[in-house]
């Protein structure tokens, strides 16, 4: 995966030193040789062609850092991207910063948030950002619930690499940033409390959120089913109230080299079919599958489940 911190940034000044005029720079942008990150700052289009949304946010943060007289403190979804968390279905594509002075006038592509820079701030690879707990809290307060749950799940999952105590501590620290007078505190508290480190991907996080909104009982996550010859199978969701398993199929499931593990997509598909047949036969439960297109809204997931004959508690 491309390291967004390693991509060279070029400014109008550095390009002028290389012999390019303003007209030539404009022409290079128009022809696609270079890509504008923000006003006056560019990257090679060859470096930018396959960047993820998270990597683009890091690039834009680096660009604003380079253009600022004082090191800015990045927050919200921008900080989430720098932390390595997924930025998924975020409401605001702008670069988010903490600006203690409410009279600061920033550029149109910058979203300013009032707040202290004396606490909850760390440095990551030369950028000042809000720490994990504060980032969880700010995203949960201001962003879409889908984005908030995906960020919170991933943040807790990173803490889980230590132990459960680290997960509990991070959740508690995130909640400590919320007070009754904090805008969005009630919703943020609910989302952070709902977060679960066992969710592996944003699609699983959103699936869990939508299942909850549809009225299903809280599903078991990463359910283990003993397989043949001592193998172990894991299913994304155990839906005990309808005696079924749920599986979220991400777009990269049959193309990601990590998932394929040396197999062809055809071999992976055949293995998945055998796995599913075994699970159904061993447990007597159905397996319900959905993809990202079925997570366009709560209603689209409800329609997908209804196609399996599932009676949705709150359609």
């Amino acid at each position: 995966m491309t390291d967004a911190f390693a991509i060279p940034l070029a400014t109008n000044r550095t390009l002028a030193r290389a012999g390019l005029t303003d007209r030539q720079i404009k022409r290079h942008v128009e022809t696609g040789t270079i890509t504008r990150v923000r006003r006056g700052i560019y990257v090679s289009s060859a470096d930018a062609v396959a960047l993820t949304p998270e990597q683009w946010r890091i690039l834009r943060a680096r660009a604003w850092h380079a253009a600022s007289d004082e090191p800015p403190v990045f927050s919200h979804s921008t900080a989430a991207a720098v932390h390595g968390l997924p930025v998924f279905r975020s409401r605001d594509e702008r670069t988010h910063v903490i600006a203690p002075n409410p009279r600061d006038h920033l550029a149109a592509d910058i979203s300013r948030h009032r707040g202290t820079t004396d606490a909850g701030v760390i440095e990551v690879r030369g950028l000042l950002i809000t720490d994990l707990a504060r980032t969880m809290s700010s995203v949960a307060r201001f962003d879409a619930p889908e984005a908030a749950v995906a960020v919170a799940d991933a943040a807790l999952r990173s803490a889980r690499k230590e132990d459960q105590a680290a997960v509990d501590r991070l959740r508690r620290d995130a909640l400590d940033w919320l007070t009754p007078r904090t805008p969005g505190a009630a919703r943020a508290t609910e989302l952070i409390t709902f977060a679960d480190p066992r969710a592996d991907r944003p699609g699983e996080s959103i699936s869990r959120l939508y299942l909850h909104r549809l009225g299903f009982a809280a599903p078991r996550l990463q359910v283990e089913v003993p397989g043949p010859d001592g193998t172990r199978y894991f299913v994304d969701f155990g839906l005990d109230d309808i005696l079924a398993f749920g599986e979220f199929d991400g777009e990269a499931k049959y193309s990601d080299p990590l998932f394929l593990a040396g197999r062809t997509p055809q071999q992976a598909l055949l293995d998945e079919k055998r796995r599913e047949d075994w699970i159904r036969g061993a447990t007597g439960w159905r397996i319900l599958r959905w993809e990202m297109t079925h997570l366009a809204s709560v209603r689209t997931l409800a329609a997908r489940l209804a196609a399996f004959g599932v009676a949705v508690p709150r359609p």
Side-chain angles (χ1 to χ4, degrees):
M1 180 179 290
T2 303
D3 182 357
F5 282 95
I7 296 176
L9 297 178
T11 65
N12 283 331
R13 180 177 297 179
T14 58
L15 292 175
R17 288 174 182 169
L20 295 179
T21 65
D22 289 345
R23 180 175 297 179
Q24 289 172 322
I25 293 172
K26 182 178 179 181
R27 187 179 305 121
H28 279 300
V29 172
E30 291 173 346
T31 59
T33 305
I34 60 176
T35 298
R36 182 183 287 111
V37 179
R38 69 177 318 275
R39 183 179 178 182
I41 301 181
Y42 312 86
V43 294
S44 166
S45 295
D47 289 332
V49 66
L51 294 182
T52 65
E54 291 82 5
Q55 291 166 335
W56 266 113
R57 287 179 186 267
I58 293 172
L59 271 188
R60 290 195 291 267
R62 290 178 57 210
W64 182 246
H65 175 87
S68 301
D69 294 331
E70 297 290 334
V73 176
F74 297 102
S75 63
H76 297 71
S77 55
T78 303
V82 177
H83 277 295
L85 305 176
V87 177
F88 196 79
R89 296 191 184 176
S90 178
R91 288 174 174 162
D92 194 341
E93 294 294 325
R94 292 178 296 173
T95 297
H96 296 263
V97 299
I98 301 295
N101 183 358
R103 296 183 179 180
D104 287 345
H105 294 287
L106 304 181
D109 60 335
I110 304 298
S111 180
R112 182 190 64 197
H113 303 271
R114 294 186 64 174
T116 180
T117 56
D118 296 330
V121 175
I122 62 174
E123 181 176 341
V124 174
R125 302 183 71 172
L127 298 181
L128 295 177
I129 64 172
T130 52
D131 63 19
L132 264 181
R134 189 174 180 183
T135 299
M136 285 174 60
S137 172
S138 61
V139 172
R141 288 173 56 207
F142 288 101
D143 221 323
E146 293 86 346
V149 171
V151 164
D153 282 358
L156 294 180
R157 188 166 64 248
S158 69
R160 195 185 186 198
K161 296 175 182 177
E162 298 179 33
D163 52 33
Q164 183 59 41
V167 173
D168 296 338
R169 184 166 55 252
L170 177 57
R171 193 193 307 270
R172 183 174 60 251
D173 290 346
L175 292 172
D176 283 345
W177 279 98
L178 305 172
T179 67
R181 292 189 176 183
T182 304
R187 191 194 73 158
T189 298
E190 181 181 353
L191 291 169
I192 291 170
T193 303
F194 179 77
D196 194 307
R198 294 172 296 173
D200 279 341
R201 296 167 287 175
E204 293 182 20
S205 299
I206 296 172
S207 297
R208 204 176 79 257
L209 177 65
Y210 286 0
L211 289 169
H212 172 71
R213 288 181 172 179
L214 288 171
F216 289 98
R220 291 178 291 133
L221 305 185
Q222 307 305 324
V223 182
E224 181 178 343
V225 178
D229 302 321
T231 60
R232 297 192 302 164
Y233 294 138
F234 290 89
V235 187
D236 294 336
F237 304 101
L239 305 170
D240 295 349
D241 45 346
I242 58 173
L243 303 182
F245 294 116
E247 286 271 80
F248 167 73
D249 288 333
E251 295 178 0
K253 190 166 187 178
Y254 300 106
S255 60
D256 186 346
L258 184 62
F259 178 84
L260 292 175
R263 301 172 297 172
T264 66
Q266 292 78 11
Q267 289 171 326
L269 186 61
L270 180 59
D271 288 345
E272 185 66 12
K273 182 181 183 304
R274 290 169 175 163
R275 168 185 173 273
E276 183 171 320
D277 288 343
W278 174 273
I279 293 173
R280 281 202 305 262
T283 65
W285 283 22
R286 292 178 294 168
I287 296 182
L288 316 178
R289 291 185 176 275
W290 57 86
E291 302 174 7
M292 191 59 74
T293 55
H294 303 121
L295 296 178
S297 68
V298 176
R299 287 187 176 183
T300 56
L301 180 59
R304 175 62 173 177
L305 297 177
F308 287 100
V310 174
V312 178
R314 291 196 295 266

